[in-house]
Amino acid sequence: MSSARHTPPGLRPTLPVWAVVSSERLGHIQRVAELAAAWAETMGVPDSERHRWLRAVWLHDALRDATPEELDRWASSTPGPVNLKHGPAAAARAKAEGEVDRGVLDAVRYHSVGLAEWDMVGRALYAADFLEPGRRLEPEMRAELARRFPRDPTGVLREIARRRLSHIVASGWPIPEPTVRFWNSLAIPSSSR
Ligand SMILES: [Fe+2]
Ligand SMILES: [Fe+2]
């Protein structure tokens, strides 16, 4: 586990003390924080709202490298593979530690699957998690979507959800129910076809 004490002021808070993350993972989380903070700046969101986005960012993968036993302890009711448990587990742990913001908790809990009811915290986290520049596949596509997000968040979310959904289908995996509803909330309405 790595220390996060050098977190720049503009990206604070920081990793919770209970986080279990590799140094590689910490790099990912910090890049997600940098992207979300840059969007907050471009979009002119108030400090209090930026602080909510960053809380969710620092929490979202805080248990990504925890043992299956620890994930089960915090996400015992979440069905499915272990890699879908780290969001619910981190949200449960954050709640136990005193986080009460529903938007922040829902952003963390559903960050791997999507949620139709998300406010901007969940939307910014979902997009920044996918578009952070450390991801190796299709860097130009990611950079273009990252630049576009502040002026067209819905269009960018639709593009990300489309890609993630296509990947699930191509892999032959079941589509989580929240993902179906998230997609339908972003899809182009039939009236404009
Ligand atoms: Fe994650
Ligand atoms: Fe992540």
Side-chain angles (χ1 to χ4, degrees), residues 19-142:
V20 184
V21 294
S22 64
S23 56
E24 254 182 26
R25 190 83 58 199
L26 179 59
H28 158 70
I29 297 169
Q30 182 141 352
R31 287 189 299 272
V32 178
E34 284 162 1
L35 187 51
W39 288 342
E41 166 103 44
T42 308
M43 297 166 85
V45 310
D47 287 353
S48 58
E49 177 69 1
R50 187 190 67 230
H51 196 264
R52 296 178 71 226
W53 293 16
L54 288 170
R55 283 212 308 284
V57 168
W58 287 109
L59 287 168
H60 86 285
D61 278 346
L63 292 179
R64 186 69 180 82
D65 299 308
T67 61
E69 294 72 33
E70 182 163 13
L71 291 174
D72 266 337
R73 190 152 65 87
W74 289 101
S76 54
S77 59
T78 304
V82 76
N83 64 351
L84 289 184
K85 293 191 179 206
H86 70 282
R93 182 75 199 260
K95 194 172 178 186
E97 298 284 339
E99 176 61 66
V100 294
D101 187 316
R102 176 74 188 270
V104 170
L105 292 171
D106 277 350
V108 174
R109 186 180 311 273
Y110 292 99
H111 81 266
S112 305
V113 290
L115 185 72
E117 292 80 12
W118 266 340
D119 64 14
M120 272 310 283
V121 185
R123 290 166 197 274
L125 172 61
Y126 181 84
D129 192 21
F130 187 80
L131 298 177
E132 66 95 343
R135 297 200 182 267
R136 274 169 298 178
L137 277 178
E138 303 187 81
E140 279 148 36
M141 172 277 292
R142 283 174 209 270

